[in-house]
Amino acid sequence: MKNKKNKNTKVKQSGFSLIEILVVLLIIGLLSTLVAVNVLPSQDRARFEKAKADLAIMGNALEMYRLERFNYPNSELGLKALLRSEEDNYQNNLNTRGYIKSLPKDPWGNEYQYIIPGENGEYDLFSMGADGDVGGEGLNADIGNWNPEIE
C-alpha cells in the first residue's frame, strides 16, 4: 500500500515568530541603553585623567629642562624645546636627546598650552578642555598644572 498523505495534515514549519523576534530586539535595546548610560560618563572621566597624566609628564620634562639649563623654555621655544635638540651641546653637557619623545595632543585633539610667565605659577601648562576655549565649566573647564590634584 502506498503511503498517502492526508490533505488535512498541516506541515509543521520551524522558525521564529514575529513576536519572538520583537522580544529579542527589545531585550537588546534595553541592554544597549544600560551599557550606554554606564559607559559614556566613564569616557569623559578617562579623557580628563589622560589630560592630567599628559600634563604631569610634560611638567616633569619641564623640570628636567630647568635643572639642566637653569630656566624654563621661553614663550618662543615653547614646549617644542622639550623635544630632541638640533644644537651641538656636547661641550657643555646639555641634553640633546630631548626630554620627551613627542608632544601629545590633549584628549580632545587640541594642542596643550604653555605660557611663561604664568598667571598661576612660574609657568602655566594646560588643556583648554572639551570646548577648546579658555575657561568653561564641567567638561569644558581648563585642566592645568595649577590644579592641586595634578601634581
Side-chain angles (χ1 to χ4, degrees):
M1 197 175 224
K2 293 185 178 178
N3 202 1
K4 293 183 178 180
K5 290 186 180 176
N6 188 352
K7 291 182 179 178
N8 293 337
T9 306
K10 294 183 178 179
V11 178
K12 189 170 186 176
Q13 296 180 355
S14 61
F16 297 107
S17 71
L18 180 62
I19 298 293
E20 291 170 326
I21 292 172
L22 290 175
V23 167
V24 168
L25 289 175
L26 177 68
I27 291 170
I28 290 171
L30 289 172
L31 288 175
S32 62
T33 302
L34 286 172
V35 168
V37 166
N38 290 321
V39 170
L40 290 179
S42 298
Q43 182 182 16
D44 294 333
R45 184 71 185 162
R47 285 182 175 163
F48 179 78
E49 293 298 326
K50 182 189 181 311
K52 284 178 24 180
D54 287 347
L55 290 172
I57 289 168
M58 287 188 290
N60 288 338
L62 283 167
E63 289 303 318
M64 290 184 344
Y65 183 98
R66 184 186 64 83
L67 287 172
E68 281 191 0
R69 299 177 186 237
F70 305 109
N71 58 8
Y72 294 108
N74 60 28
S75 295
E76 184 180 325
L77 288 173
L79 294 174
K80 289 186 180 9
L82 301 177
L83 299 174
R84 185 170 194 262
S85 175
E86 299 302 324
E87 358 176 307
D88 185 18
N89 288 317
Y90 294 110
Q91 301 91 340
N92 52 15
N93 296 325
L94 290 179
N95 181 353
T96 57
R97 296 180 323 270
Y99 301 93
I100 55 176
K101 289 185 179 185
S102 63
L103 290 175
K105 290 194 174 206
D106 74 7
W108 300 276
N110 303 313
E111 300 289 333
Y112 283 102
Q113 305 298 309
Y114 172 72
I115 299 172
I116 189 162
E119 296 175 8
N120 301 296
E122 289 186 73
Y123 65 88
D124 288 347
L125 178 62
F126 62 99
S127 165
M128 294 185 285
D131 64 352
D133 288 329
V134 175
E137 294 181 12
L139 292 176
N140 296 330
D142 295 345
I143 305 164
N145 63 332
W146 58 85
N147 297 348
E149 66 270 5
I150 289 187
E151 309 227 356

